[in-house]
Amino acid sequence: MNDTVALITGAARGIGLATATLLHGEGRRVVLLDRDRDALQTAAATLPGALAITCDVSVPQQVSQAVAEVEQTFGRLDILVNNAGVADFGPLEETDFTRWRRVMETNLDGVFLMSQACLSLLSQRGGAIVNIGSISGLRASTLRIAYGTSKAAVIHLTKQQAAELGELGIRANCVCPGPVDTKLALAVHSPEIRAAYHDAMPLNRYGTEREIAEAICFLASERASFITSQVLAADGGFDATGVGLPALRV
């Protein structure tokens, strides 16, 4: 293992775990954060030497405690991957304020809180922040009032971070996944929706968690040392062809 330390939020499953696995495979020390304690422990057991911290990224006190544990354990942090997020799909008229805030507090507030808390550690040697947006933050679609807006805000927050933190040697970039074969997608995407996505995407398929993780790890790595403020759509070409699919309006 080398000395670099990577912290991944929402790391108990899906894209977060795939990213942690790749970073661990590169020889980095990894810290897995998630609010699902049981799933987090199961995930950490697959990565020898990984530090698992149960944390809700929307709660400032928990974030501060988690970052303090990272500092106490490793004394440094080189990579922060803000992956934790919640999905919510529904029309404006059915999205009450409680539902709106549930999405914003994790998808947007969590990115802000984690980045701010990790700033001191990241600035010690110059580090990398990779925020996870969404194709829904790049292009408007139906049923994504809260989710799409939260991800659009994450994209702009990434640019603000890049503009402000570059002089500290910190790079900030954003990966925007398109449709990915996660457990969530498999649960909520009907056959009609999947077929519509396939028809609208140049690559004619969903992505894999590993493919998104590869994009994240590249932007986090030294190979991307002169890249900051960029938004990378890992989406099979979906951004080029639009997202206003009839099947997504039902």
Side-chain angles (χ1 to χ4, degrees):
M1 306 292 281
N2 62 35
D3 289 335
T4 58
V5 178
L7 188 161
I8 307 94
T9 70
R13 57 179 62 82
I15 292 170
L17 179 55
T19 301
T21 300
L22 280 180
L23 291 169
H24 185 271
E26 292 176 353
R28 304 182 193 273
R29 294 178 288 181
V30 295
V31 183
L32 281 62
L33 259 68
D34 205 286
R35 63 187 180 187
D36 186 337
R37 183 186 302 272
D38 292 341
L40 180 64
Q41 295 300 325
T42 299
T46 68
L47 302 174
L51 174 64
I53 303 176
T54 304
C55 174
D56 185 332
V57 298
S58 71
V59 181
Q61 183 178 6
Q62 292 188 30
V63 169
S64 297
Q65 291 173 344
V67 175
E69 185 172 348
V70 173
E71 183 172 19
Q72 182 178 13
T73 303
F74 297 116
R76 66 184 290 170
L77 181 65
D78 304 274
I79 296 167
L80 169 63
V81 179
N82 283 310
N83 170 71
V86 296
D88 183 277
F89 305 113
L92 175 61
E93 63 182 352
E94 296 178 9
T95 303
D96 60 23
F97 189 65
T98 298
R99 188 171 172 180
W100 171 273
R101 281 305 311 155
R102 183 181 70 86
V103 175
M104 293 298 170
E105 68 185 5
T106 298
N107 292 5
L108 180 58
D109 298 352
V111 175
F112 167 77
L113 291 170
M114 286 298 307
S115 300
Q116 187 178 62
C118 291
L119 183 58
S120 177
L121 284 175
L122 288 169
S123 63
Q124 290 179 7
R125 298 171 179 82
I129 298 172
V130 182
N131 299 322
I132 310 307
S134 169
I135 192 67
S136 294
L138 288 170
R139 298 284 296 274
S141 180
T142 52
L143 308 182
R144 283 157 173 75
I145 290 294
Y147 181 75
T149 302
S150 72
K151 292 301 188 177
V154 167
I155 290 168
H156 189 74
L157 176 57
T158 302
K159 294 179 179 291
Q160 294 288 156
Q161 291 172 334
E164 182 172 327
L165 304 180
E167 63 184 23
L168 300 177
I170 298 173
R171 299 181 298 105
N173 293 288
C174 184
V175 172
C176 290
V180 179
D181 266 329
T182 63
K183 288 184 178 179
L184 175 63
L186 292 172
V188 302
H189 287 186
S190 67
E192 292 78 14
I193 289 176
R194 292 183 69 88
Y197 272 125
H198 286 187
D199 288 344
M201 297 168 65
L203 291 187
N204 196 36
R205 65 174 178 86
Y206 280 41
T208 67
E209 295 166 351
R210 171 67 180 252
E211 287 175 314
I212 307 303
E214 291 281 5
I216 295 167
C217 290
F218 166 69
L219 288 174
S221 75
E222 296 77 7
R223 302 188 301 279
S225 58
F226 199 53
I227 300 175
T228 193
S229 80
Q230 297 306 299
V231 180
L232 174 60
D235 67 346
F238 194 26
D239 185 40
T241 55
V243 294
L245 305 181
L248 301 182
R249 298 194 181 104
V250 297

